[in-house]
């Protein structure tokens, strides 16, 4: 058991060594989670996956309790592990993946040459494993820690629209929110994420024969083509603002002036000011032909996050240094539910899951040898002053 006199570096090394000693068990648990498919769009599989996850966490965290917040696609699993000192740390994750049912049958969980592969292994089944084992390690080594609240939703990959209010309410008052989204290398932490704005624009024009009576028509396609060019001009790479028209459809035939068109827009912004600028500019746009009517739906799915928990990056640097690993702080363009909790005024540090790469892709993977380091990092952030 660790003692008051034992330095923090010794505690961190002890956690890493403990995790290394049960690495086979860790990988086995990861295999179960990956091979339990949880597509965002399949409520039956999500419910089954939540049951598997709940049973495993309750078995691993002695004395913990579980409850479900909300219902349906927006349900949030909450597991509380009481601590031996005051305060609560939130571990934030998600169960859903972008991969459809049947993907596991085509490429189930495997480990080859120290690399784990499978749908959702990196984003973010391995992050859930890191979170659960970090708490288990602290308890196995007798390290004092605050209470830990694990929050796991099942609609993160589709925007967390149903779960965000439950997440904010359940995390209220936490001394830190540690997000189990993946890193890149052993020392990665994520210190900022851009906000994400998603809009759909629908244009309704006036149909006409493109050869016999073109002047009678008002092209919805031409209008949204002009809007595409306008939106491209709103991007400001120097400020970190990107604008992407990812979908543009409309019309019926080349000889018909299009009476309908539709586009989907993705905007990323580093600051609230940039988010507001793009929002206002989109709202102000009007088609050159007043006969074309437009409807704009959407908004900021997740706000920008640019302020990590005070002192948390330095703490991560110290923990990693004690393990001989350099900290790798990153700002990334993708958003997470950490953005939502940061906007609610909570102190957040992100990217504390597994190291690896290929999120949302067939080559998604996790570096198995880094798992004990990532578990030790998270444990050191949960209980920096434990004894």
């Amino acid at each position: 058991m660790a003692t008051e006199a034992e330095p923090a570096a010794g505690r961190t090394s002890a956690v890493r060594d403990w995790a290394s000693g049960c690495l086979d068990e860790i990988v086995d648990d990861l295999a179960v989670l990956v091979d339990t498919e949880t597509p965002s769009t399949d409520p039956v599989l999500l419910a089954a996956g939540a049951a598997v996850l709940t049973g495993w966490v309750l078995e691993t965290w002695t004395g913990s309790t579980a409850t479900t917040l909300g219902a349906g696609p927006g349900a949030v699993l909450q597991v509380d592990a009481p601590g031996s000192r005051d305060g609560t740390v939130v571990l934030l994750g998600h169960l859903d993946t972008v991969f459809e049912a049947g993907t596991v049958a085509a490429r189930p969980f495997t480990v080859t040459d120290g690399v784990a592969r499978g749908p959702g292994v990196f984003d973010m089944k391995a992050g859930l494993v890191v979170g659960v084992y970090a708490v288990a390690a602290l308890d196995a080594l007798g390290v004092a820690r605050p209470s830990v609240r694990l929050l796991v939703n099942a609609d993160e990959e589709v925007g967390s629209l149903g779960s965000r209010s439950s997440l904010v309410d359940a995390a209220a008052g936490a001394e830190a929110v540690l997000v189990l989204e993946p890193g890149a290398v052993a020392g990665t932490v994520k210190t900022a994420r851009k906000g994400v704005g998603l809009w759909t624009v629908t244009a309704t024009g006036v149909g006409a024969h493109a050869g016999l009576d073109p002047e009678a028509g008002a092209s919805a396609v031409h209008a949204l083509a002009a809007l595409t060019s306008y939106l491209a001009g709103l991007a400001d790479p120097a400020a970190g603002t990107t604008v992407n028209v990812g979908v543009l459809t409309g019309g019926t035939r080349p000889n018909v002036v299009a009476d309908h068109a539709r586009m989907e827009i993705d905007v990323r912004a580093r600051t609230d000011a940039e988010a507001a600028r793009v929002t206002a500019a989109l709202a102000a746009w009007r088609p050159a032909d007043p006969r074309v009517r437009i409807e704009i739906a959407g908004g900021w799915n997740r706000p920008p996050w640019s302020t990590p928990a005070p002192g948390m990056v330095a703490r991560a640097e110290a923990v990693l240094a004690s393990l001989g690993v350099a900290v790798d702080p990153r700002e990334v363009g993708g958003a997470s539910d950490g953005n939502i909790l940061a906007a609610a005024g909570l102190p957040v540090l992100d990217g504390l899951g597994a190291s690896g790469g290929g999120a949302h892709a067939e080559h998604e993977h996790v570096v198995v040898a880094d798992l004990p380091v990532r578990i030790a990092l998270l444990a050191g952030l949960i209980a920096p002053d434990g004894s």
Side-chain angles (χ1 to χ4, degrees):
M1 180 178 292
T3 67
E4 281 287 344
E6 186 179 12
R11 293 195 299 271
T12 303
S13 297
V15 171
R16 178 198 57 197
D17 294 344
W18 180 90
S20 296
C22 56
L23 189 55
D24 288 345
E25 181 182 349
I26 291 170
V27 172
D28 287 345
D29 288 338
L30 177 57
V32 172
L33 290 187
V34 172
D35 285 343
T36 302
E37 288 189 300
T38 50
S40 301
T41 54
D42 193 320
V44 174
L45 290 178
L46 285 172
V52 170
L53 177 64
T54 303
W56 170 60
V57 179
L58 290 176
E59 180 181 347
T60 307
W61 289 358
T62 302
S64 61
T65 59
T67 187
T68 300
L69 311 175
V76 175
L77 169 63
Q78 175 180 314
V79 183
D80 289 300
S84 54
R85 69 169 179 81
D86 293 339
T88 299
V89 170
V90 166
L91 303 183
L92 181 63
H94 65 87
L95 180 63
D96 60 321
T97 75
V98 300
F99 300 99
E100 297 301 323
T103 307
V104 163
R107 46 185 189 89
F109 180 85
T110 60
V111 179
T112 304
D113 297 328
V115 177
R117 294 181 170 85
V121 65
F122 182 59
D123 186 12
M124 59 166 290
K125 301 288 179 75
L128 298 175
V129 170
V130 167
V132 170
Y133 270 94
V135 175
L138 292 170
D139 291 350
L141 296 170
V143 179
R145 60 166 176 80
S147 295
V148 173
R149 173 166 289 176
L150 174 67
L151 298 175
V152 181
N153 63 351
D155 63 346
E156 192 274 346
E157 295 291 6
V158 291
S160 303
L161 299 179
S163 62
R164 63 182 58 211
S165 61
S166 293
L167 293 176
V168 171
D169 291 344
E175 61 186 52
V177 175
L178 305 177
V179 186
L180 303 177
E181 291 282 358
V185 296
T188 297
V189 296
K190 294 178 180 177
T191 59
R193 287 183 179 271
K194 292 181 183 180
V196 179
L198 302 172
W199 284 269
T200 298
V201 181
T202 303
T204 303
V206 179
H209 193 295
L212 295 177
D213 200 17
E215 293 80 7
S219 175
V221 167
H222 289 187
L224 292 196
L227 177 57
T228 299
S229 178
Y230 173 83
L231 290 169
L234 297 179
D236 186 345
T241 304
T242 61
V243 181
N244 181 62
V245 176
V247 176
L248 179 57
T249 62
T252 55
R253 297 176 180 275
N255 62 346
V256 178
V257 176
D259 65 355
H260 67 275
R262 178 178 177 276
M263 65 162 46
E264 295 180 30
I265 310 162
D266 178 296
V267 181
R268 311 283 168 130
R270 183 179 291 145
T271 66
D272 290 332
E274 277 295 284
R277 178 183 69 83
V278 174
T279 302
L282 175 59
W285 183 82
R286 296 290 182 273
D289 190 327
R291 294 176 295 169
V292 177
R293 295 182 291 105
I294 61 166
E295 295 181 9
I296 301 175
W300 286 92
N301 175 266
R302 293 184 176 92
W305 165 58
S306 59
T307 307
M312 199 69 77
V313 176
R315 188 186 301 173
E317 183 176 18
V319 171
L320 289 166
S322 72
L323 300 171
V325 177
V327 70
D328 177 39
R330 299 190 180 194
E331 174 188 327
V332 294
S336 80
D337 288 336
N339 293 58
I340 296 170
L341 295 189
L346 292 159
V348 172
L349 187 64
D350 205 333
L352 297 168
S355 65
H360 296 188
E362 189 170 333
H363 63 280
E364 186 172 14
H365 64 277
V366 163
V367 180
V368 172
D370 285 347
L371 288 171
V373 173
R374 301 298 288 177
I375 290 168
L377 169 59
L378 185 61
L381 294 171
I382 293 170
D385 303 317
S387 60

